[in-house]
Amino acid sequence: MEPINQRVKEVRQALELSQAKFAKALSMSNGYIAGIELEYNRVNDRIIKLICFTFHVSEKWLRTGDGSMFCEKSDETAKLAFAAFNELKPVYQDYVMKQIDLLLEIQNKEG
């Protein structure tokens, strides 16, 4: 099975973005992205969620390689949320991601 690090690279290449532009969109250093692609750096849950949210990538595909790379539907609410998220300073983006993680935990407990 192909490692998740390689799927991150596939996303970047499918979007036709340089490592620098991909990293900037994720508020990360391009050195860290290069490390992911070279399999020096680990891809944690936060990075997975950030890539999926930012680029409308299927989380299932990113984690396992199953299904389509990109989400089939992108509704207007998601587009508005993405635009607002991109306007935030990185410190506030981190806060939003933590809140999303908490909401997902609550949702998963509710079943």
Side-chain angles (χ1 to χ4, degrees), residues 23-28 46 50 85-98:
K24 184 176 181 181
L26 297 172
S27 298
M28 301 172 77
R46 183 178 176 279
L50 192 55
F85 181 83
N86 278 337
E87 294 296 318
L88 295 172
K89 293 179 181 177
V91 66
Y92 297 122
Q93 289 178 346
D94 289 342
Y95 177 79
V96 168
M97 292 308 297
K98 287 176 187 172

Side-chain angles (χ1 to χ4, degrees), residues 13-76:
Q13 290 173 334
L15 295 167
E16 299 180 353
L17 293 173
S18 66
Q19 285 180 345
K21 287 183 180 180
F22 188 75
K24 184 176 181 181
L26 297 172
S27 298
M28 301 172 77
S29 73
N30 56 321
Y32 195 84
I33 295 298
I36 286 174
E37 291 185 6
L38 294 170
E39 299 183 32
Y40 297 139
N41 295 335
R42 196 173 144 264
V43 181
N44 61 32
D45 284 338
R46 183 178 176 279
I47 293 170
I48 291 169
K49 287 178 181 20
L50 192 55
I51 289 170
C52 292
F53 180 78
T54 304
F55 300 112
H56 305 287
V57 171
S58 163
E59 186 171 339
K60 180 181 177 183
W61 178 84
L62 189 56
R63 289 182 183 276
T64 67
D66 294 334
S68 298
M69 180 184 297
F70 294 102
C71 298
E72 297 299 320
K73 291 186 177 179
S74 176
D75 63 39
E76 198 58 34

